[in-house]
Amino acid sequence: MEKTGLIWFRNDLRVTDNNSVSKAIKENDKIIAIYFFEPRLFKKDRFGFRKTEKYRAKFLIESISVLRENLKRHNVTLLVYHNKPETILPKLTSDHKINNIYLQEEWTDEEVQVVETAKKAIDDDTISFIHTYDQFLFHPEDIPFNFNQIPQVFTNFRKQCEKLSAVRSEVNAKKMFSENFFTNPTPVPTLSDLGFEDFETDSRSAFPFEGGEDQALRRVDDYFWNTKRLSYYKKTRNGLVGENYSSKFSAWLANGCLSPRTIFRQITSYEKEIEKNQSTYWLFFELIWRDFFKYVSLKHGNNLFKLKGILKKDYSWSLDDEKIKDWIMGETDEPFVNANMIELRNTGWMSNRGRQNVASYFAKKLKLDWRIGAAYFESLLIDYDLHSNYGNWQYLAGVGNDPRDRKFNIKTQAERYDPTQKFQNLWLQPTLF
């Protein structure tokens, strides 16, 4: 009996090392692929921010356009809809007699609800939903903990995973289908379709890159093999200006254009062929941090989004609108905070060092409800990752995984990481037109 599979893309926008793609192509005679620009993701949240602002939207549009082209090489058509899955999937699955639907496993409430609503709308028990955990470095079946036993402290998690877990091999789809299902695929929406005006990337941006798997792989090739910047990663990763102070892989990782396993394999190859040092290890170290926040989310569920956090700690949080606005607009009493916030507002990007400082200032100095800061980051950051974003905000607000409940000294941080004020001058001085 001929089988037809549907690959439902979400935050796994790649063909290389994608288990859903690999399984679907291997297990079916025909394939359809689909992606939804869900209207829910472009509406305002409870704090008044659009859940997805223009920077994320543009990167997503670029990523989907590349994904469509890469699927074409397997003669698989990507259908794209600016609609809700439950509106489109029932008729599509019926018309094309879909047997299997492949998608990346998600576990947070909003993402789970989308799938459950779609399943109810389809209402067909003959269709198998095949979920795969595919956003991890260390697969959930391979870590030395049950989800409810994930350590509270990162170091304990890291040491055990390094000692007892292995990174799985990449998977690749090799089969080529004989013909496309559709000759006239649905169009990828424009920024205008999603409610935004088009814009040019700010020339000062430290992230001048486009979305998509191809650009991600080019960046890996350039950062590792062409410039060999990986050899200096640990020394430069706290930089603030320019595109090469850090790997900048995070935006492609967040959208699933790039697999952490792919990065890991490139690191191991680099260590064999070029050199192995603290910097090559440190990029691996950062990938484990990314995993850690995902496992914290799996363990603690909705507490990741609650005011008291995973520690269930009570603080007196403020909702002062003026202080929130000053922080967003970069009009606080700290120039270093202001420069970072202006960079974010103009580019959708901020360095890791900047994020730690502005979040600490928001939660610890202004004592504002940390969830508002997290929601603002969610709206603007090109590399927004649900688990890392909310995990880090809790960490810095003192309700998450940091037992020290530390507070950054912003002036000391500015003196250490921007001693000549190059970064602050870049963003605080008026631009000339």
Side-chain angles (χ1 to χ4, degrees):
M1 177 182 170
E2 190 173 72
K3 288 187 177 181
T4 303
L6 173 66
I7 307 170
W8 179 358
F9 285 95
R10 299 165 86 189
N11 279 344
D12 56 341
L13 307 180
R14 64 184 184 276
V15 174
T16 304
D17 193 30
N18 186 319
N19 273 289
S20 291
V21 173
S22 180
K23 287 180 180 179
I25 289 179
K26 189 183 298 182
E27 296 171 2
N28 296 275
D29 303 288
K30 294 181 180 179
I31 294 290
I32 304 171
I34 197 164
Y35 181 82
F36 295 97
F37 283 83
E38 291 191 47
R40 288 174 284 231
L41 296 179
F42 300 92
K43 291 183 177 179
K44 288 187 176 181
D45 63 19
R46 57 180 168 167
F47 300 117
F49 307 124
R50 270 193 171 190
K51 286 181 72 68
T52 303
E53 258 295 349
K54 63 180 182 180
Y55 303 113
R56 287 182 60 200
K58 185 175 184 180
F59 194 87
L60 187 57
I61 290 168
E62 292 164 349
S63 298
I64 293 300
S65 299
V66 173
L67 177 64
R68 169 170 278 175
E69 290 303 310
N70 288 346
L71 285 167
K72 272 186 184 178
R73 296 172 189 167
H74 295 276
N75 274 333
V76 174
T77 298
L78 177 68
L79 301 177
V80 180
Y81 294 94
H82 183 201
N83 212 324
K84 296 176 180 178
E86 62 266 28
T87 303
I88 300 297
L89 286 174
K91 187 174 189 306
L92 184 74
T93 53
S94 175
D95 288 351
H96 297 285
K97 297 180 174 55
I98 299 297
N99 303 104
N100 303 305
I101 297 179
Y102 299 82
L103 66 168
Q104 180 171 270
E105 179 70 34
E106 301 288 348
W107 54 88
T108 42
D109 264 9
E110 289 182 7
E111 288 71 22
V112 170
Q113 189 58 47
V114 167
V115 176
E116 292 305 312
T117 302
K119 285 181 179 179
K120 288 178 182 177
I122 293 170
D123 192 26
D124 186 344
D125 292 337
T126 67
I127 297 177
S128 297
F129 281 76
I130 300 163
H131 299 252
T132 306
Y133 284 112
D134 211 26
Q135 61 271 67
F136 293 90
L137 179 67
F138 295 115
H139 192 279
E141 293 175 2
D142 301 334
I143 62 169
F145 314 100
N146 294 323
F147 292 159
N148 61 1
Q149 297 173 328
I150 299 298
Q152 187 72 13
V153 178
F154 167 71
T155 301
N156 297 336
F157 174 83
R158 174 184 62 80
K159 287 182 176 179
Q160 290 298 305
C161 286
E162 286 182 333
K163 181 180 179 181
L164 300 171
S165 302
V167 178
R168 293 187 176 185
S169 299
E170 295 171 275
V171 296
N172 287 302
K174 297 179 180 178
K175 179 179 174 182
M176 175 78 74
F177 290 94
S178 58
E179 59 182 346
N180 271 316
F181 235 69
F182 300 90
T183 54
N184 295 304
T186 52
V188 176
T190 63
L191 278 172
S192 177
D193 294 332
L194 299 177
F196 303 103
E197 292 184 2
D198 202 0
F199 64 95
E200 296 294 327
T201 300
D202 193 300
S203 62
R204 298 168 291 177
S205 177
F207 192 92
F209 308 105
E210 296 179 359
E213 178 180 9
D214 293 357
Q215 181 73 281
L217 294 174
R218 279 196 293 270
R219 176 61 179 174
V220 172
D221 193 53
D222 187 60
Y223 192 77
F224 282 37
W225 305 103
N226 294 339
T227 65
K228 298 179 176 58
R229 297 295 301 181
L230 177 60
S231 291
Y232 310 97
Y233 172 73
K234 191 172 188 289
K235 296 177 182 178
T236 64
R237 67 190 176 88
N238 282 309
L240 300 164
V241 179
E243 63 186 64
N244 284 326
Y245 63 76
S246 64
S247 71
K248 302 295 195 301
F249 296 154
S250 58
W252 293 295
L253 280 167
N255 288 273
C257 303
L258 182 63
S259 153
R261 295 181 298 268
T262 295
I263 298 173
F264 173 76
R265 296 301 169 198
Q266 290 286 318
I267 293 172
T268 56
S269 294
Y270 187 94
E271 288 178 334
K272 289 176 183 176
E273 297 178 33
I274 307 297
E275 68 173 321
K276 182 177 183 179
N277 62 15
Q278 277 193 323
S279 287
T280 61
Y281 168 73
W282 212 259
L283 188 55
F284 173 55
F285 176 93
E286 295 292 354
L287 290 174
I288 303 175
W289 256 116
R290 179 178 176 273
D291 260 20
F292 178 62
F293 280 127
K294 291 187 182 297
Y295 283 112
V296 167
S297 170
L298 273 163
K299 177 181 180 180
H300 293 283
N302 279 343
N303 287 330
L304 193 68
F305 311 106
K306 292 181 179 178
L307 186 61
K308 295 181 180 181
I310 63 174
L311 296 182
K312 300 181 180 177
K313 291 183 76 170
D314 276 314
Y315 289 99
S316 179
W317 299 105
S318 169
L319 297 171
D320 189 313
D321 287 339
E322 284 302 314
K323 289 182 178 178
I324 294 168
K325 181 181 176 183
D326 287 346
W327 180 78
I328 288 173
M329 299 304 295
E331 296 175 354
T332 74
D333 59 3
E334 289 287 358
F336 190 56
V337 168
N338 296 343
N340 278 288
M341 294 305 297
I342 292 169
E343 179 187 28
L344 175 61
R345 196 172 76 249
N346 283 277
T347 68
W349 177 264
M350 190 191 298
S351 69
N352 178 61
R353 182 55 47 185
R355 296 178 204 202
Q356 293 184 61
N357 276 272
V358 303
S360 179
Y361 182 83
F362 187 91
K364 291 302 184 183
K365 175 69 185 296
L366 301 180
K367 302 186 186 304
L368 294 165
D369 183 337
W370 65 268
R371 298 172 302 171
I372 298 171
Y376 184 67
F377 271 26
E378 176 179 349
S379 179
L380 265 74
L381 281 173
I382 295 172
D383 65 348
Y384 167 71
D385 175 286
L386 184 158
H387 315 101
S388 293
N389 184 60
Y390 281 88
N392 270 305
W393 269 94
Q394 286 206 5
Y395 187 98
L396 291 159
V399 297
N401 290 89
D402 189 354
R404 296 166 293 178
D405 187 19
R406 60 180 170 170
K407 176 182 177 181
F408 280 71
N409 184 318
I410 307 299
K411 286 184 170 54
T412 301
Q413 289 276 304
E415 289 169 2
R416 180 176 179 183
Y417 295 105
D418 192 27
T420 65
Q421 299 188 349
K422 180 180 179 181
F423 172 74
Q424 291 168 80
N425 289 335
L426 180 66
W427 293 103
L428 295 180
Q429 290 185 357
T431 55
L432 300 175
F433 295 95

